[in-house]
Amino acid sequence: MTRFGLFVFLIFAVLLGCGSAHAEKRVALVIGNSAYKSVPKLSNPVNDAALVGGMFKKAGFDTVDVRLDLSVVDMRKALREFGSKAREAEVAVIYYAGHGIELDGNNYLIPTDAALETDTDVLDEAFPLDRVLFAIEPAKQLRLVILDACRDNPFAKSMKRTVASRAIGRGLAKVEPTSPNTMIAFAAKAGSTASDGDAKNSPFATALVDRLPTPGLDLRKAFGFVRDDVLKNTGYKQEPYVYGSLGGDDVPLIAAKPIVAGPQANPQDAIRRDYELALQLGTREIWTAFLAQYPDGFYASLAKGQLSRIAAEEASAAAADKARQAEDEKARLATERARKAEQEKAAAAAKAAEDARIAAEKAKQIEEAKAAAAEQRRKKAEAAAAKALAEKQAAEKAKADLVARQAAEKLAAEKVAAERTVQQQASETQPAAETQKVAALAAPPTSTLSAAELAKSVQSELRRVGCFVSSADGNWNAASQRSLTQFNKYAGTRLDVKLASVDALDALKAKQGRICPLVCERGFKADGDACVKITCRAGYRVNDDNACEKVQDKKPVATRDDSKPRDDERKKVEAAPSKPQATGQIYCNSVGCRPVRQGCHLEAFNGAQGYARSGGGAGAMEICN
């Protein structure tokens, strides 16, 4: 037997083995999900499922179950039934076309009724890829999963993240099957998306039907041809990928047809049969061996043509790979340039934002300085007004004291006789009055802080909760009272606003964050958390509604000529000493105070039991006619 005859005999034995494997049971499950309820419908998965299912039927599979638009319940039932069939089969294949998603490195197939509003819904509404692998695991020789599920997933765009760091991939994640003789084919490389196609079927499904049914073609090589076809048809944008491993023997989807050798009538018949056998294998090695055995003749020329075709295909594949690498490099450079431009843009935006912040801070400091100066001027004006009022009140009090003393001295001279009786009554009531005074003085202080310190603390807390815009100076004025009134309104309290109290300080400290909305004084407007002064253009002024209005021309006001005599008369009346009043007086003793009865008046005595509210140091007695 010649060397090539021995080689043909070995190939023939392999083909016979493949033929016996072909007789073994093969099952397939084909799923196509297009009519999704929560996202737009996919056009091609049902078409792809029908195309691939027809291919498996033509390939002679014992059972081909084609299921379309499955809900979560239907997918669970289909996988459970197919698992039972795979336990009795040597070859089990599952093809899925539709939406898939990757969550935290795990791949999931999405049924048509899934909503996936949050990332945790994936665990309840989708099927993990491990569940699919579990269904085909009982197959004895070959386990094959084909996933045309790397399409651009709309669920990932609308899905809410319950954990910000949870990763949701753009395509499917890389997977390494643990079971032997298991292959998983992706329509697109891990982390990338696949095209649904502009035609009736997707590029991946079209390439599968063209390449997988080739008789005697090993699956690894068939998927290599599928990869080349998809790259070419998608402009090198989509690259299918296969994960897993098989043994050293060829594993075709359809076994090569065995050729039974018969008696050779002439040498050309033997050459023709050898050529047909080499043509079925179609590798460079087999054609080289054929030419070594038959270097001349018609079939030798055909074999050389086949070698040229293989060389052209290899050159084309190499050129395509080189073009793909160049395209990838171009895309990488473009991405780097875009990233650099974005970084420069972000840096410029950050610098502009920082400059704006610095300018705003300077403007804020200027306005705060102006506000502090205005506050100082207001305090000085209030202090001057308070001083003038105090001086006026002191003068009026001195005048009243003088009149009261004169009246008391006159009464004391007229009522010497009644003095002894009054002294006796005062000696009886004095202990009770002294006891009341001592009890009143013994009241413990409510706070260790002074009034100014307490007011300053309350003002600081009011400023912290956003109810007080001025500085905390310890002066409990009208602005401080208005601030505490605002706090009562928005905090729901009923604190006394007339003075700063410990209760108000405790209630303010119990609040966290801003309580009062930002309210600016007249002439100022809110800008974020600060008040800025309102500036009007020339000829306009700020009105009571904090809006700019045009200044109206002032009309001349008529003056009165007779005002001076009237003012002089008023000054004379005010300068004249007031006359003692016989009514409107208050009489007080140890029991309490009451108005002097009609027809009665007070007369002062030293040591008397009663006293007038506005009197001097002497006692007073009610005298009635």
Side-chain angles (χ1 to χ4, degrees), residues 110-121:
I110 304 177
T112 56
D113 59 347
L116 303 186
E117 295 180 354
T118 64
D119 48 9
T120 56
D121 293 340

Side-chain angles (χ1 to χ4, degrees), residues 236-392:
Y236 296 93
K237 295 179 180 179
Q238 177 181 338
E239 180 183 5
Y241 218 82
V242 178
Y243 299 94
S245 63
L246 300 178
D249 296 334
D250 287 348
V251 183
L253 186 67
I254 299 178
K257 296 179 180 179
I259 300 176
V260 180
Q264 297 181 358
N266 55 60
Q268 289 296 323
D269 292 338
I271 296 174
R272 179 180 57 79
R273 284 194 298 271
D274 291 344
Y275 177 83
E276 291 177 350
L277 181 59
L279 185 62
Q280 290 182 0
L281 297 178
T283 63
R284 178 184 291 274
E285 291 77 10
I286 196 65
W287 288 120
T288 303
F290 181 87
L291 288 173
Q293 180 66 28
Y294 306 107
D296 300 318
F298 172 72
Y299 290 103
S301 300
L302 294 177
K304 292 177 182 179
Q306 292 294 334
L307 281 175
S308 299
R309 182 187 61 80
I310 293 174
E313 290 180 352
E314 292 176 349
S316 176
D321 187 63
K322 186 175 181 181
R324 181 185 59 80
Q325 293 177 358
E327 188 69 22
D328 292 344
E329 181 66 16
K330 181 180 177 181
R332 184 185 66 80
L333 293 175
T335 302
E336 290 181 355
R337 286 194 296 270
R339 185 183 299 110
K340 184 177 180 181
E342 290 294 332
Q343 291 175 351
E344 292 176 352
K345 183 178 179 181
K351 185 176 183 303
E354 181 64 18
D355 293 342
R357 186 192 65 78
I358 294 173
E361 187 67 23
K362 290 181 179 179
K364 179 181 177 182
Q365 293 175 357
I366 292 173
E367 293 299 330
E368 287 179 351
K370 291 181 180 179
E375 183 66 18
Q376 291 294 332
R377 291 194 297 271
R378 182 191 61 77
K379 290 179 181 178
K380 290 181 180 179
E382 289 181 354
K387 183 177 179 182
L389 180 61
E391 291 176 353
K392 183 178 178 181

Side-chain angles (χ1 to χ4, degrees), residues 19 24 54 57 70 94 125 140 144 175 202 211 224 229 249 272 280 285 321 328 385 387 403-404 417 420 425 435 526:
E24 296 172 345
K57 292 177 181 178
L70 299 184
I94 293 180
E125 300 178 9
K140 301 177 179 62
L144 176 60
V175 61
S202 69
R211 296 295 184 174
D229 293 345
D249 296 334
R272 179 180 57 79
Q280 290 182 0
E285 291 77 10
D321 187 63
D328 292 344
K387 183 177 179 182
V403 174
R420 289 189 295 272
Q425 294 177 354
T435 302

Side-chain angles (χ1 to χ4, degrees), residues 61-346:
F61 272 63
D62 297 274
T63 302
V64 179
D65 191 2
V66 179
R67 301 290 186 90
L68 303 178
D69 294 328
L70 299 184
S71 63
V72 62
V73 176
D74 296 334
M75 283 189 69
R76 184 180 294 111
K77 181 179 179 182
L79 290 173
R80 183 169 59 249
E81 293 175 353
F82 185 73
S84 301
K85 297 177 183 178
R87 281 193 291 270
E88 302 174 359
E90 281 71 29
V91 177
V93 182
I94 293 180
Y95 171 83
Y96 173 81
H99 277 309
I101 192 171
E102 178 262 320
L103 179 67
D104 284 341
N106 298 316
N107 297 321
Y108 296 85
L109 308 184
I110 304 177
T112 56
D113 59 347
L116 303 186
E117 295 180 354
T118 64
D119 48 9
T120 56
D121 293 340
V122 175
L123 305 177
D124 301 323
E125 300 178 9
F127 278 90
L129 180 58
D130 292 340
R131 176 66 182 88
V132 178
L133 296 175
F134 185 79
I136 65 170
E137 189 175 8
K140 301 177 179 62
Q141 291 184 2
L142 174 64
R143 308 165 187 91
L144 176 60
V145 178
I146 304 174
L147 298 179
D148 194 358
C150 305
R151 294 169 172 83
D152 192 11
N153 188 1
F155 288 99
K157 299 177 182 178
S158 60
M159 184 185 301
K160 296 179 180 178
R161 270 69 162 177
T162 58
V163 178
S165 60
R166 177 162 291 151
I168 298 178
R170 186 165 174 261
L172 297 182
K174 180 180 179 181
V175 61
E176 293 294 342
T178 57
S179 301
N181 295 328
T182 301
M183 291 183 67
I184 302 175
F186 283 3
K189 194 174 182 179
S192 60
T193 58
S195 171
D196 198 32
D198 298 328
K200 181 180 178 181
N201 298 104
S202 69
F204 184 63
T206 303
L208 288 175
V209 175
D210 290 343
R211 296 295 184 174
L212 291 185
T214 303
L217 183 61
D218 182 65
L219 284 177
R220 288 161 289 196
K221 194 169 186 64
F223 278 111
F225 288 141
V226 169
R227 168 190 172 275
D228 295 341
D229 293 345
V230 173
L231 280 171
K232 181 178 179 181
N233 294 331
T234 60
Y236 296 93
K237 295 179 180 179
Q238 177 181 338
E239 180 183 5
Y241 218 82
V242 178
Y243 299 94
S245 63
L246 300 178
D249 296 334
D250 287 348
V251 183
L253 186 67
I254 299 178
K257 296 179 180 179
I259 300 176
V260 180
Q264 297 181 358
N266 55 60
Q268 289 296 323
D269 292 338
I271 296 174
R272 179 180 57 79
R273 284 194 298 271
D274 291 344
Y275 177 83
E276 291 177 350
L277 181 59
L279 185 62
Q280 290 182 0
L281 297 178
T283 63
R284 178 184 291 274
E285 291 77 10
I286 196 65
W287 288 120
T288 303
F290 181 87
L291 288 173
Q293 180 66 28
Y294 306 107
D296 300 318
F298 172 72
Y299 290 103
S301 300
L302 294 177
K304 292 177 182 179
Q306 292 294 334
L307 281 175
S308 299
R309 182 187 61 80
I310 293 174
E313 290 180 352
E314 292 176 349
S316 176
D321 187 63
K322 186 175 181 181
R324 181 185 59 80
Q325 293 177 358
E327 188 69 22
D328 292 344
E329 181 66 16
K330 181 180 177 181
R332 184 185 66 80
L333 293 175
T335 302
E336 290 181 355
R337 286 194 296 270
R339 185 183 299 110
K340 184 177 180 181
E342 290 294 332
Q343 291 175 351
E344 292 176 352
K345 183 178 179 181

